[in-house]
């Protein structure tokens, strides 16, 4: 059984107790650099995810005797590694532990309910903006290619009346949340790792 632990948005105070216990009973932690760095006190083996995820599957198959946990940011089932691992290993062979998604976190920070939100991603793909922007309340994970400025341009192009929220480095010390019209977002120099919420004005 492979554990897939959602560690929350980043600050380990948001890691669930059950996730923490499983991590500390593991022989091996697999994860991205940022996530692995958060577990300084873990004294087992650490395997960094670099490049193809297929290499991780190979590692898992070659180390069946070890107790392995994959640590994933936010919730593994929200645009995370959960889907890929289930498709490769089968749901009966994975133990997914939910974490607080960066999307859940930002809604709490801005005091807005998540009822009827549409969740999507710009991470590593070309989104269908006509469809996304037809929803009243949207939350998007982003990447370096399609981020807040590109999203704002798509909203302006369609002459839509929307407000944008950009949550950068959520839960970390340098967290920054900007709530602004799209016209202001396009003038911002640069955004760090972020999620975007878009809602109808008024
Ligand atoms: C592959 S997705 C993983 C999403 C994750 N499963 C979740 O539930 O938050 C990676 C994207 O999540 C968002 N993200 C994750 N952690 C974040 C944080 N602490 N602050 C802002 N955005 C974050 C960013 O858009 C980042 O590019």
């Amino acid at each position: 059984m492979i554990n897939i632990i959602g560690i929350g948005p980043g600050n380990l105070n948001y890691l669930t107790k059950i996730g923490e216990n499983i991590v500390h009973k593991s022989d091996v932690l697999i994860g991205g650099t940022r996530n692995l760095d958060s577990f300084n006190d873990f004294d087992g083996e650490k395997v960094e995810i670099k490049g193809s995820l297929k290499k991780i599957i190979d590692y898992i198959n070659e180390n069946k005797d070890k107790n392995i946990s994959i640590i994933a940011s936010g919730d593994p089932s929200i645009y995370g590694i959960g889907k890929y691992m289930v498709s490769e290993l089968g749901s009966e062979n994975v133990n997914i532990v939910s974490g607080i998604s960066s999307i859940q976190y930002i809604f709490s920070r801005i005091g807005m309910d998540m009822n009827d939100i549409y969740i999507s991603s710009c991470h590593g793909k070309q989104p269908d903006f006509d469809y996304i922007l037809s929803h009243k309340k949207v939350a998007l994970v982003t990447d370096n290619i399609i981020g807040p400025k590109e999203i704002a341009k798509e909203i302006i192009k369609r002459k839509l009346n929307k407000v944008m929220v950009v949550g950068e480095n959520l839960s970390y010390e340098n967290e920054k949340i900007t709530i602004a019209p799209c016209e202001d977002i396009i003038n911002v120099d640069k955004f760090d790792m972020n999620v975007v919420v878009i809602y109808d004005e008024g």
Side-chain angles (χ1 to χ4, degrees):
M1 183 70 76
I2 301 299
N3 302 300
I4 305 175
I5 313 294
I7 64 166
N11 179 329
L12 286 192
N13 288 325
Y14 290 95
L15 172 64
T16 62
K17 202 76 195 159
I18 189 165
E20 186 182 9
N21 287 339
I22 293 174
V23 162
H24 289 291
K25 280 186 196 142
S26 302
D27 302 318
V28 184
L29 268 196
I30 300 179
T33 319
R34 175 173 62 96
N35 293 337
L36 285 177
D37 285 350
S38 309
F39 290 89
N40 291 329
D41 58 342
F42 179 77
D43 50 15
E45 184 184 341
K46 286 184 176 178
V47 175
E48 210 176 308
I49 299 178
K50 274 195 231 138
S52 162
L53 285 176
K54 182 76 183 67
K55 284 196 237 160
I56 298 301
I57 301 296
D58 293 343
Y59 177 91
I60 290 169
N61 287 329
E62 287 157 16
N63 291 276
K64 288 208 162 100
D65 54 324
K66 293 181 180 166
N67 182 1
I68 298 176
S69 291
I70 300 175
I71 49 173
S73 72
D75 188 290
S77 304
I78 299 183
Y79 292 104
I81 201 167
K83 182 177 176 180
Y84 177 79
M85 288 297 154
V86 168
S87 71
E88 288 292 316
L89 303 173
S91 59
E92 67 284 9
N93 296 314
V94 298
N95 171 37
I96 300 183
V97 178
S98 296
I100 299 172
S101 172
S102 53
I103 289 178
Q104 283 173 287
Y105 178 92
I106 194 169
F107 275 92
S108 300
R109 292 285 286 116
I110 62 173
M112 185 180 276
D113 64 85
M114 292 182 67
N115 302 347
D116 299 323
I117 65 164
Y118 177 68
I119 298 177
S120 192
S121 170
C122 305
H123 192 88
K125 66 175 191 179
Q126 179 56 47
D128 177 351
F129 279 111
D130 284 330
Y131 185 68
I132 289 173
L133 296 173
S134 69
H135 296 82
K136 282 186 189 316
K137 213 196 288 178
V138 173
L140 296 168
V141 292
T142 66
D143 66 12
N144 291 333
I145 297 170
I146 301 187
K149 287 161 75 126
E150 290 69 28
I151 296 166
K153 283 180 197 157
E154 296 291 336
I155 296 171
I156 293 169
K157 201 159 83 184
R158 290 168 178 76
K159 299 187 170 52
L160 298 170
N161 230 356
K162 307 262 186 195
V163 177
M164 285 179 71
V165 182
V166 183
E168 296 169 84
N169 300 317
L170 295 170
S171 82
Y172 291 102
E173 271 176 17
N174 57 346
E175 170 178 298
K176 185 175 175 197
I177 297 179
T178 307
I179 304 181
C182 305
E183 290 72 14
D184 294 352
I185 299 289
I186 51 171
N187 290 321
V188 174
D189 191 31
K190 166 184 171 296
F191 288 99
D192 286 348
M193 172 179 66
N194 64 79
V195 291
V196 169
V197 172
I198 307 160
Y199 58 90
D200 285 352
E201 196 164 29

